[in-house]
Amino acid sequence: MATKPMTKTQLVAALAEKMDSDKKGAAEALDAITSVITEEVSGGGAVTLPGVGKIYCRERPERMVRNPATGEQIKKDADKVVKMTIAKALKDSVNG
């Protein structure tokens, strides 16, 4: 059965425990990591988190999509989407 995802508060508490630090320092570290990832990926770069995966931005071409309510075909403009490739080490740890 799937469990609820870890919240930011829970993640900060777990980080503080692992780092033998206080929650304020762990929260600042998490915010700094998030900021660096956001800046790099929004600028067209990629970030690799060792043992976790690679976060990057990919461009999607212009395409035709269907409105599910009406069935009408609509042209959707080209856009960008953030993707993440999961590291083999993480996959292996989940699958045993």
Side-chain angles (χ1 to χ4, degrees):
M1 190 76 179
T3 58
K4 289 185 176 182
M6 185 181 273
T7 64
K8 181 178 179 180
T9 304
Q10 293 168 331
L11 181 57
V12 166
L15 276 173
E17 185 178 320
K18 289 275 186 185
M19 294 170 43
D20 290 328
S21 176
D22 60 343
K23 289 182 182 179
K24 183 178 179 185
E28 289 173 359
L30 180 61
D31 290 340
I33 290 170
T34 303
S35 175
V36 168
I37 291 171
T38 302
E39 289 173 13
E40 184 65 25
V41 173
S42 65
V47 176
T48 300
L49 300 171
V52 176
K54 178 180 175 182
I55 303 169
Y56 58 97
C57 184
R58 184 176 76 81
E59 292 186 19
R60 290 196 299 190
E62 184 178 280
R63 63 198 185 282
M64 295 300 290
V65 296
R66 187 179 66 84
N67 181 339
T70 64
E72 176 187 7
Q73 292 282 332
I74 304 168
K75 183 176 83 167
K76 188 162 182 347
D77 294 333
D79 61 351
K80 294 179 181 179
V81 61
V82 176
K83 301 291 247 176
M84 181 165 185
T85 303
I86 305 300
K88 185 177 184 319
L90 182 57
K91 288 180 192 176
D92 291 345
S93 71
V94 170
N95 291 321

